[in-house]
Protein backbone atom coordinates (compact mmCIF):
# COMPACT_ATOMS: atom_id res chain seq x y z
CA UNK A 1 0.00 0.00 0.00
CA UNK A 2 1.23 3.50 -0.71
CA UNK A 3 2.17 5.75 2.14
CA UNK A 4 1.53 9.38 2.84
CA UNK A 5 4.48 11.59 3.63
CA UNK A 6 5.85 10.63 7.03
CA UNK A 7 4.94 12.95 9.85
CA UNK A 8 6.56 13.29 13.22
CA UNK A 9 4.74 10.92 15.48
CA UNK A 10 4.91 7.62 17.30
CA UNK A 11 5.01 5.55 14.14
CA UNK A 12 7.79 7.56 12.54
CA UNK A 13 10.21 8.55 15.26
CA UNK A 14 13.81 9.41 14.46
CA UNK A 15 16.91 10.22 16.35
CA UNK A 16 20.49 10.69 15.41
CA UNK A 17 23.36 9.15 17.26
CA UNK A 18 23.09 9.86 20.95
CA UNK A 19 26.42 11.47 20.75
CA UNK A 20 25.17 14.70 19.38
CA UNK A 21 27.74 16.84 21.09
CA UNK A 22 29.98 19.23 19.24
CA UNK A 23 33.60 18.23 19.09
CA UNK A 24 36.33 20.59 17.83
CA UNK A 25 37.22 19.90 14.22
CA UNK A 26 39.71 21.14 11.70
CA UNK A 27 36.97 22.46 9.48
CA UNK A 28 33.21 22.47 9.02
CA UNK A 29 33.57 19.92 6.28
CA UNK A 30 35.06 17.29 8.54
CA UNK A 31 33.12 14.03 8.79
CA UNK A 32 30.94 13.46 11.85
CA UNK A 33 32.70 12.13 14.92
CA UNK A 34 32.12 8.41 15.03
CA UNK A 35 31.80 6.38 18.17
CA UNK A 36 32.55 2.98 16.89
CA UNK A 37 31.00 0.27 18.85
CA UNK A 38 31.74 -2.63 16.74
CA UNK A 39 35.17 -3.76 16.20
CA UNK A 40 35.94 -4.07 12.70
CA UNK A 41 35.56 -1.11 10.50
CA UNK A 42 34.65 -3.16 7.64
CA UNK A 43 32.55 -6.03 8.56
CA UNK A 44 33.04 -8.04 11.71
CA UNK A 45 31.80 -6.48 14.87
CA UNK A 46 28.93 -4.61 13.33
CA UNK A 47 30.43 -3.62 10.10
CA UNK A 48 30.16 0.03 9.37
CA UNK A 49 29.36 -0.68 5.89
CA UNK A 50 26.73 -3.22 6.63
CA UNK A 51 25.34 -0.90 9.12
CA UNK A 52 25.36 1.69 6.40
CA UNK A 53 24.11 -0.16 3.55
CA UNK A 54 26.22 1.38 0.91
CA UNK A 55 28.65 -0.60 -1.12
CA UNK A 56 31.66 1.33 0.10
CA UNK A 57 30.57 0.99 3.70
CA UNK A 58 30.59 -2.76 3.25
CA UNK A 59 33.86 -2.84 5.05
CA UNK A 60 33.30 -1.21 8.42
CA UNK A 61 32.32 -1.94 11.99
CA UNK A 62 28.63 -2.53 12.28
CA UNK A 63 28.43 -1.11 15.75
CA UNK A 64 29.79 2.35 15.23
CA UNK A 65 28.49 5.21 17.37
CA UNK A 66 28.48 8.50 15.51
CA UNK A 67 29.01 11.75 17.32
CA UNK A 68 27.15 14.08 15.00
CA UNK A 69 28.26 17.63 14.43
CA UNK A 70 24.91 18.99 15.48
CA UNK A 71 23.08 18.98 18.78
CA UNK A 72 19.72 17.59 19.70
CA UNK A 73 16.85 20.08 19.93
CA UNK A 74 17.06 20.03 23.70
CA UNK A 75 20.82 20.15 23.90
CA UNK A 76 23.76 17.76 23.67
CA UNK A 77 23.10 14.34 25.15
CA UNK A 78 26.33 14.20 27.13
CA UNK A 79 27.31 14.52 30.76
CA UNK A 80 29.16 17.80 30.88
CA UNK A 81 27.83 19.01 34.18
CA UNK A 82 24.60 19.86 35.95
CA UNK A 83 23.56 22.28 33.26
CA UNK A 84 23.76 19.65 30.54
CA UNK A 85 20.59 17.71 29.79
CA UNK A 86 19.59 14.64 27.85
CA UNK A 87 17.05 14.82 25.00
CA UNK A 88 14.29 14.43 27.57
CA UNK A 89 15.54 17.32 29.70
CA UNK A 90 17.01 15.18 32.50
CA UNK A 91 20.60 15.55 33.64
CA UNK A 92 22.63 12.41 32.84
CA UNK A 93 23.23 10.41 36.00
CA UNK A 94 26.92 9.63 35.67
CA UNK A 95 30.12 11.67 35.90
CA UNK A 96 29.97 15.41 36.45
CA UNK A 97 33.54 16.43 35.78
CA UNK A 98 33.96 18.76 32.82
CA UNK A 99 37.67 18.30 32.32
CA UNK A 100 38.73 18.97 28.75
CA UNK A 101 41.58 16.45 28.98
CA UNK A 102 41.49 13.03 27.33
CA UNK A 103 40.30 9.95 29.19
CA UNK A 104 42.77 7.77 31.06
CA UNK A 105 42.74 3.98 31.31
CA UNK A 106 41.98 3.98 35.07
CA UNK A 107 39.13 6.47 34.67
CA UNK A 108 37.64 4.53 31.74
CA UNK A 109 37.72 1.30 33.74
CA UNK A 110 36.26 2.91 36.84
CA UNK A 111 33.24 4.42 35.13
CA UNK A 112 32.48 1.51 32.80
CA UNK A 113 31.23 -0.85 35.51
CA UNK A 114 28.94 1.79 36.99
CA UNK A 115 27.47 2.74 33.63
CA UNK A 116 27.08 -0.88 32.52
CA UNK A 117 24.92 -1.64 35.56
CA UNK A 118 22.75 1.42 34.91
CA UNK A 119 22.35 0.78 31.19
CA UNK A 120 21.63 -2.90 31.82
CA UNK A 121 18.80 -1.92 34.15
CA UNK A 122 17.39 0.63 31.69
CA UNK A 123 17.61 -1.82 28.78
CA UNK A 124 16.36 -4.83 30.71
CA UNK A 125 19.34 -7.04 29.83
CA UNK A 126 21.06 -8.69 32.82
CA UNK A 127 24.85 -8.63 32.92
CA UNK A 128 26.04 -12.17 32.21
CA UNK A 129 29.70 -11.55 31.48
CA UNK A 130 32.52 -9.05 31.64
CA UNK A 131 33.66 -6.32 29.27
CA UNK A 132 37.31 -5.37 29.18
CA UNK A 133 38.28 -1.72 28.66
CA UNK A 134 41.13 -0.46 26.49
CA UNK A 135 42.16 3.09 25.58
CA UNK A 136 43.65 3.71 22.13
CA UNK A 137 44.94 6.66 20.11
CA UNK A 138 43.48 8.08 16.90
CA UNK A 139 46.29 6.41 14.97
CA UNK A 140 45.39 3.07 16.53
CA UNK A 141 41.77 3.65 15.54
CA UNK A 142 42.82 4.07 11.92
CA UNK A 143 44.95 0.93 11.98
CA UNK A 144 42.11 -1.00 13.56
CA UNK A 145 39.63 0.25 10.96
CA UNK A 146 41.97 -0.53 8.08
CA UNK A 147 42.51 -4.09 9.30
CA UNK A 148 38.78 -4.58 9.79
CA UNK A 149 37.97 -3.24 6.33
CA UNK A 150 39.63 -6.20 4.67
CA UNK A 151 38.35 -9.02 6.84
CA UNK A 152 35.53 -9.79 4.43
CA UNK A 153 36.44 -7.80 1.31
CA UNK A 154 39.55 -7.54 -0.85
CA UNK A 155 41.10 -4.26 -1.93
CA UNK A 156 39.75 -4.82 -5.42
CA UNK A 157 36.23 -5.16 -4.01
CA UNK A 158 36.61 -1.99 -1.96
CA UNK A 159 37.75 -0.17 -5.10
CA UNK A 160 34.76 -1.55 -7.01
CA UNK A 161 32.38 -0.42 -4.25
CA UNK A 162 33.91 3.04 -4.44
CA UNK A 163 33.44 3.18 -8.20
CA UNK A 164 29.82 2.07 -7.85
CA UNK A 165 29.24 4.88 -5.36
CA UNK A 166 30.83 7.28 -7.84
CA UNK A 167 28.53 6.07 -10.62
CA UNK A 168 25.53 6.67 -8.33
CA UNK A 169 26.72 10.18 -7.44
CA UNK A 170 27.57 9.36 -3.82
CA UNK A 171 31.29 10.03 -4.26
CA UNK A 172 33.15 12.00 -6.94
CA UNK A 173 34.59 10.05 -9.90
CA UNK A 174 38.09 8.81 -9.15
CA UNK A 175 37.64 9.12 -5.37
CA UNK A 176 39.73 6.97 -3.04
CA UNK A 177 36.93 5.45 -0.99
CA UNK A 178 39.26 3.63 1.36
CA UNK A 179 41.06 6.80 2.39
CA UNK A 180 37.83 8.79 2.65
CA UNK A 181 36.37 6.27 5.05
CA UNK A 182 39.55 5.82 7.08
CA UNK A 183 39.91 9.59 7.41
CA UNK A 184 36.34 9.84 8.64
CA UNK A 185 36.90 7.10 11.19
CA UNK A 186 40.25 8.40 12.44
CA UNK A 187 38.75 11.84 13.03
CA UNK A 188 35.42 10.74 14.37
CA UNK A 189 35.61 7.38 16.13
CA UNK A 190 35.34 7.80 19.89
CA UNK A 191 34.50 4.31 21.06
CA UNK A 192 34.34 0.76 19.74
CA UNK A 193 32.94 -2.46 21.12
CA UNK A 194 35.00 -5.45 19.94
CA UNK A 195 32.99 -8.67 20.25
CA UNK A 196 35.97 -10.87 19.44
CA UNK A 197 37.79 -9.59 22.53
CA UNK A 198 34.67 -8.79 24.57
CA UNK A 199 36.24 -5.39 24.99
CA UNK A 200 35.26 -1.74 24.75
CA UNK A 201 37.85 0.47 23.07
CA UNK A 202 37.83 4.18 23.93
CA UNK A 203 39.83 6.89 22.16
CA UNK A 204 42.37 8.83 24.17
CA UNK A 205 40.82 11.98 22.69
CA UNK A 206 37.52 11.37 24.49
CA UNK A 207 37.10 14.06 27.13
CA UNK A 208 35.62 13.55 30.57
CA UNK A 209 32.49 15.38 29.46
CA UNK A 210 32.00 12.87 26.63
CA UNK A 211 32.76 9.74 28.58
CA UNK A 212 29.24 8.91 29.76
CA UNK A 213 27.93 9.22 26.22
CA UNK A 214 30.62 7.03 24.69
CA UNK A 215 30.53 4.37 27.37
CA UNK A 216 26.74 4.38 27.57
CA UNK A 217 26.34 3.58 23.89
CA UNK A 218 29.26 1.16 23.61
CA UNK A 219 28.43 -0.78 26.75
CA UNK A 220 24.96 -1.35 25.33
CA UNK A 221 26.69 -3.25 22.54
CA UNK A 222 28.46 -5.30 25.15
CA UNK A 223 25.08 -6.23 26.64
CA UNK A 224 23.76 -7.09 23.18
CA UNK A 225 26.75 -9.35 22.65
CA UNK A 226 26.13 -11.17 25.91
CA UNK A 227 22.58 -12.02 24.89
CA UNK A 228 22.43 -12.01 21.09
CA UNK A 229 25.97 -12.78 19.82
CA UNK A 230 27.07 -9.83 17.73
CA UNK A 231 29.65 -11.82 15.79
CA UNK A 232 26.94 -13.75 13.97
CA UNK A 233 25.58 -10.46 12.65
CA UNK A 234 28.89 -9.55 11.04
CA UNK A 235 28.77 -12.08 8.26
CA UNK A 236 28.08 -10.55 4.84
CA UNK A 237 24.79 -11.20 3.06
CA UNK A 238 25.94 -11.56 -0.56
CA UNK A 239 23.79 -9.57 -2.95
CA UNK A 240 21.59 -7.98 -0.30
CA UNK A 241 23.18 -4.87 1.18
CA UNK A 242 19.78 -3.61 2.29
CA UNK A 243 19.36 -6.61 4.62
CA UNK A 244 22.77 -5.80 6.08
CA UNK A 245 21.67 -2.23 6.54
CA UNK A 246 18.53 -3.39 8.34
CA UNK A 247 20.51 -5.28 10.96
CA UNK A 248 22.82 -2.31 11.38
CA UNK A 249 19.76 -0.15 12.09
CA UNK A 250 18.69 -2.70 14.71
CA UNK A 251 22.04 -2.98 16.48
CA UNK A 252 22.86 0.73 16.45
CA UNK A 253 19.29 1.84 17.05
CA UNK A 254 18.97 -0.52 20.01
CA UNK A 255 22.24 0.68 21.55
CA UNK A 256 21.25 4.29 21.03
CA UNK A 257 17.81 3.73 22.52
CA UNK A 258 19.32 1.95 25.51
CA UNK A 259 21.63 4.89 26.13
CA UNK A 260 18.74 7.33 25.84
CA UNK A 261 16.58 5.23 28.17
CA UNK A 262 19.33 5.49 30.79
CA UNK A 263 19.96 9.23 30.54
CA UNK A 264 16.23 9.96 30.45
CA UNK A 265 15.71 8.89 34.04
CA UNK A 266 13.05 6.68 35.66
CA UNK A 267 10.54 7.12 32.83
CA UNK A 268 13.00 5.88 30.23
CA UNK A 269 12.12 6.33 26.59
CA UNK A 270 8.60 7.46 27.41
CA UNK A 271 10.15 10.69 28.68
CA UNK A 272 11.32 11.59 25.16
CA UNK A 273 8.57 13.06 22.95
CA UNK A 274 8.43 11.41 19.51
CA UNK A 275 8.51 14.89 17.98
CA UNK A 276 11.98 15.43 19.45
CA UNK A 277 13.26 12.23 17.91
CA UNK A 278 11.70 13.12 14.58
CA UNK A 279 13.36 16.54 14.58
CA UNK A 280 16.76 15.16 15.46
CA UNK A 281 16.40 12.50 12.78
CA UNK A 282 15.65 15.07 10.13
CA UNK A 283 18.73 16.99 11.23
CA UNK A 284 20.82 13.92 10.43
CA UNK A 285 19.64 14.21 6.83
CA UNK A 286 19.67 17.97 6.38
CA UNK A 287 22.81 18.99 8.27
CA UNK A 288 24.94 16.35 6.58
CA UNK A 289 24.81 18.63 3.53
CA UNK A 290 27.31 20.90 5.26
CA UNK A 291 29.92 18.12 5.40
CA UNK A 292 32.18 16.57 2.80
CA UNK A 293 30.55 13.56 1.12
CA UNK A 294 27.09 14.30 2.56
CA UNK A 295 25.38 11.16 1.24
CA UNK A 296 27.98 8.95 2.85
CA UNK A 297 27.62 10.90 6.08
CA UNK A 298 23.84 10.46 6.02
CA UNK A 299 24.30 6.73 5.55
CA UNK A 300 26.55 6.61 8.59
CA UNK A 301 24.20 8.61 10.80
CA UNK A 302 20.80 7.25 9.82
CA UNK A 303 21.03 3.93 11.72
CA UNK A 304 21.54 5.91 14.92
CA UNK A 305 18.80 8.38 14.09
CA UNK A 306 15.96 6.42 12.54
CA UNK A 307 17.09 3.14 14.06
CA UNK A 308 16.80 4.49 17.59
CA UNK A 309 13.47 6.15 16.78
CA UNK A 310 12.00 2.90 15.51
CA UNK A 311 13.31 0.95 18.49
CA UNK A 312 11.89 3.59 20.84
CA UNK A 313 8.49 3.32 19.15
CA UNK A 314 8.57 -0.46 19.47
CA UNK A 315 9.50 -0.26 23.15
CA UNK A 316 6.64 2.13 23.85
CA UNK A 317 4.19 -0.18 22.11
CA UNK A 318 5.40 -3.62 23.16
CA UNK A 319 8.30 -3.28 25.60
CA UNK A 320 11.97 -4.25 25.35
CA UNK A 321 11.04 -7.92 24.89
CA UNK A 322 9.83 -7.05 21.39
CA UNK A 323 13.29 -5.66 20.60
CA UNK A 324 14.91 -8.82 21.94
CA UNK A 325 12.68 -10.82 19.60
CA UNK A 326 14.09 -8.96 16.58
CA UNK A 327 17.47 -10.61 17.16
CA UNK A 328 15.79 -14.01 16.75
CA UNK A 329 13.83 -12.91 13.67
CA UNK A 330 15.98 -10.19 12.13
CA UNK A 331 14.50 -7.33 10.09
CA UNK A 332 15.11 -7.90 6.40
CA UNK A 333 14.83 -4.41 4.89
CA UNK A 334 15.76 -0.89 5.88
CA UNK A 335 12.13 0.00 5.13
CA UNK A 336 11.12 -2.05 8.18
CA UNK A 337 13.60 -0.16 10.35
CA UNK A 338 12.48 3.21 9.00
CA UNK A 339 8.76 2.62 9.62
CA UNK A 340 7.50 1.01 12.81
CA UNK A 341 4.28 -0.15 11.13
CA UNK A 342 6.28 -1.98 8.45
CA UNK A 343 8.42 -3.59 11.16
CA UNK A 344 5.50 -4.78 13.26
CA UNK A 345 3.80 -6.20 10.15
CA UNK A 346 7.17 -7.65 8.98
CA UNK A 347 6.23 -6.45 5.51
CA UNK A 348 8.54 -8.26 3.06
CA UNK A 349 10.25 -6.69 0.10
CA UNK A 350 8.77 -7.18 -3.34
CA UNK A 351 10.96 -9.73 -5.08
CA UNK A 352 12.65 -7.92 -7.95
CA UNK A 353 14.39 -10.53 -10.06
CA UNK A 354 17.08 -9.89 -12.63
CA UNK A 355 18.23 -11.69 -15.76
CA UNK A 356 21.59 -10.05 -16.52
CA UNK A 357 22.12 -12.02 -19.72
CA UNK A 358 19.26 -10.16 -21.35
CA UNK A 359 21.11 -6.89 -20.78
CA UNK A 360 24.60 -8.27 -21.42
CA UNK A 361 23.56 -9.20 -24.95
CA UNK A 362 22.92 -5.53 -25.69
CA UNK A 363 26.27 -4.57 -24.12
CA UNK A 364 28.80 -6.88 -25.81
CA UNK A 365 31.74 -4.78 -24.63
CA UNK A 366 30.67 -5.02 -20.98
CA UNK A 367 30.54 -7.77 -18.37
CA UNK A 368 28.48 -8.10 -15.20
CA UNK A 369 30.66 -7.58 -12.11
CA UNK A 370 28.19 -7.09 -9.24
CA UNK A 371 24.57 -7.51 -8.18
CA UNK A 372 22.99 -6.01 -5.09
CA UNK A 373 20.09 -4.17 -3.45
CA UNK A 374 19.82 -0.50 -2.52
CA UNK A 375 16.85 -0.24 -0.16
CA UNK A 376 14.80 2.68 1.07
CA UNK A 377 17.52 3.99 3.38
CA UNK A 378 20.07 4.35 0.58
CA UNK A 379 17.60 6.04 -1.72
CA UNK A 380 16.52 8.40 1.06
CA UNK A 381 20.12 9.49 1.69
CA UNK A 382 20.56 10.20 -2.01
CA UNK A 383 17.29 12.07 -2.50
CA UNK A 384 17.97 14.29 0.52
CA UNK A 385 20.83 15.79 -1.46
CA UNK A 386 18.51 17.34 -4.05
CA UNK A 387 15.14 17.93 -2.39
CA UNK A 388 14.05 19.10 1.09
CA UNK A 389 14.17 16.48 3.83
CA UNK A 390 10.37 16.13 4.05
CA UNK A 391 10.12 15.67 0.28
CA UNK A 392 12.94 13.12 0.32
CA UNK A 393 11.18 11.10 3.01
CA UNK A 394 7.89 11.22 1.11
CA UNK A 395 9.54 10.19 -2.17
CA UNK A 396 11.42 7.27 -0.57
CA UNK A 397 8.36 6.02 1.33
CA UNK A 398 6.40 3.42 -0.56
CA UNK A 399 9.56 1.59 -1.60
CA UNK A 400 8.74 -2.02 -2.39
CA UNK A 401 11.94 -3.70 -3.50
CA UNK A 402 14.84 -3.26 -5.91
CA UNK A 403 17.74 -4.88 -7.71
CA UNK A 404 20.98 -3.41 -8.99
CA UNK A 405 23.24 -4.69 -11.80
CA UNK A 406 26.78 -3.38 -12.33
CA UNK A 407 28.69 -3.75 -15.59
CA UNK A 408 32.32 -2.96 -16.38
CA UNK A 409 33.98 -2.59 -19.77
CA UNK A 410 35.78 -5.84 -20.63
CA UNK A 411 38.75 -4.11 -22.24
CA UNK A 412 39.38 -2.06 -19.12
CA UNK A 413 37.11 -0.49 -16.47
CA UNK A 414 35.89 3.05 -16.99
CA UNK A 415 36.24 5.49 -14.11
CA UNK A 416 32.63 4.75 -13.23
CA UNK A 417 30.86 1.49 -14.09
CA UNK A 418 27.47 1.20 -15.75
CA UNK A 419 24.83 0.71 -13.04
CA UNK A 420 21.34 -0.39 -14.02
CA UNK A 421 18.62 -0.81 -11.43
CA UNK A 422 14.91 -1.31 -11.06
CA UNK A 423 12.86 -0.16 -8.07
CA UNK A 424 9.37 -1.56 -7.46
CA UNK A 425 6.92 0.62 -5.53
CA UNK A 426 3.80 -0.04 -3.49
CA UNK A 427 1.70 1.95 -5.95
CA UNK A 428 1.95 3.88 -9.19
CA UNK A 429 1.57 7.12 -7.24
CA UNK A 430 4.60 6.20 -5.11
CA UNK A 431 6.59 5.39 -8.24
CA UNK A 432 5.64 8.67 -9.86
CA UNK A 433 6.70 10.65 -6.79
CA UNK A 434 10.05 8.88 -6.62
CA UNK A 435 10.61 9.23 -10.37
CA UNK A 436 10.40 13.02 -10.14
CA UNK A 437 12.70 13.32 -7.13
CA UNK A 438 15.26 10.80 -8.38
CA UNK A 439 15.36 12.34 -11.82
CA UNK A 440 16.20 15.68 -10.19
CA UNK A 441 18.95 14.00 -8.16
CA UNK A 442 20.53 12.43 -11.24
CA UNK A 443 20.16 15.57 -13.35
CA UNK A 444 21.96 17.53 -10.65
CA UNK A 445 24.93 15.17 -10.82
CA UNK A 446 25.15 13.35 -14.14
CA UNK A 447 22.74 14.75 -16.72
CA UNK A 448 24.54 13.24 -19.71
CA UNK A 449 25.27 9.76 -18.31
CA UNK A 450 22.05 8.79 -16.56
CA UNK A 451 18.43 8.03 -17.29
CA UNK A 452 15.18 7.38 -15.41
CA UNK A 453 12.16 5.59 -16.88
CA UNK A 454 8.86 4.50 -15.34
CA UNK A 455 6.29 1.88 -16.24
CA UNK A 456 3.39 1.85 -13.83
CA UNK A 457 4.69 1.11 -10.33
CA UNK A 458 8.24 0.29 -11.48
CA UNK A 459 11.08 2.75 -12.02
CA UNK A 460 14.13 1.85 -14.09
CA UNK A 461 17.34 3.85 -13.91
CA UNK A 462 20.88 3.74 -15.22
CA UNK A 463 24.04 5.68 -14.33
CA UNK A 464 27.50 5.74 -15.84
CA UNK A 465 26.02 5.15 -19.31
CA UNK A 466 28.82 4.84 -21.88
CA UNK A 467 28.73 7.27 -24.77
CA UNK A 468 26.48 5.97 -27.54
CA UNK A 469 24.91 3.19 -25.44
CA UNK A 470 21.79 5.03 -24.33
CA UNK A 471 19.53 4.09 -27.23
CA UNK A 472 20.11 0.35 -26.87
CA UNK A 473 20.05 0.42 -23.09
CA UNK A 474 16.44 1.43 -22.51
CA UNK A 475 14.59 -1.58 -24.02
CA UNK A 476 17.28 -4.08 -23.04
CA UNK A 477 17.29 -2.90 -19.43
CA UNK A 478 13.55 -3.49 -19.05
CA UNK A 479 14.05 -7.03 -20.36
CA UNK A 480 16.63 -7.64 -17.64
CA UNK A 481 13.98 -7.19 -14.94
CA UNK A 482 11.08 -9.38 -16.01
CA UNK A 483 7.59 -9.17 -14.57
CA UNK A 484 5.62 -10.33 -12.78
CA UNK A 485 6.73 -9.12 -9.40
CA UNK A 486 4.85 -10.60 -6.48
CA UNK A 487 2.75 -8.24 -4.41
CA UNK A 488 3.70 -7.57 -0.81
CA UNK A 489 2.13 -9.97 1.61
CA UNK A 490 1.95 -12.81 -0.94
CA UNK A 491 4.03 -15.93 -0.77
CA UNK A 492 7.28 -16.15 -2.64
Amino acid sequence: MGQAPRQAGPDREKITDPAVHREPRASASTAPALLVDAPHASSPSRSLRRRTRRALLRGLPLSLALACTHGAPSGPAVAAGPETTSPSGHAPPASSSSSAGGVSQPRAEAITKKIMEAVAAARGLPITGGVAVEVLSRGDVRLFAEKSMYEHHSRDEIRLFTRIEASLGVLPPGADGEQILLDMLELGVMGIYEPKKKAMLIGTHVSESQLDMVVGHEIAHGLQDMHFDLLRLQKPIPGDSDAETARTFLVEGDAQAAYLAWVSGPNGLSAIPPEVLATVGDQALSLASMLDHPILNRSLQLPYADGAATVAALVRAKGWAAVDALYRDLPTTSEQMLHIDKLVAREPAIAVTAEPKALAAALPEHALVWQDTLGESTLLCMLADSVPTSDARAAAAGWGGDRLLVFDRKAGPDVTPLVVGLVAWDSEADAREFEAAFNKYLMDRMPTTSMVRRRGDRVLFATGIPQGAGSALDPAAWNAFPAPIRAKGQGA
Side-chain angles (χ1 to χ4, degrees), residues 210 293 411 453:
Q210 300 164 344
H293 315 300
R453 302 285 188 271

Side-chain angles (χ1 to χ4, degrees), residues 5-42:
R6 312 291 171 153
Q7 302 296 326
D11 84 322
R12 186 83 187 81
E13 313 178 83
K14 330 192 47 300
I15 168 172
T16 56
D17 176 289
V20 287
H21 75 281
R22 296 177 182 276
E23 182 183 28
R25 285 183 173 57
S27 71
S29 62
T30 304
L34 306 174
L35 290 138
V36 183
D37 28 353
H40 99 294
S42 157

Side-chain angles (χ1 to χ4, degrees), residues 294-314:
I295 301 174
L296 192 60
N297 271 291
R298 291 189 190 97
S299 296
L300 291 171
Q301 294 184 30
L302 216 56
Y304 298 90
D306 287 39
T310 297
V311 168
L314 186 61

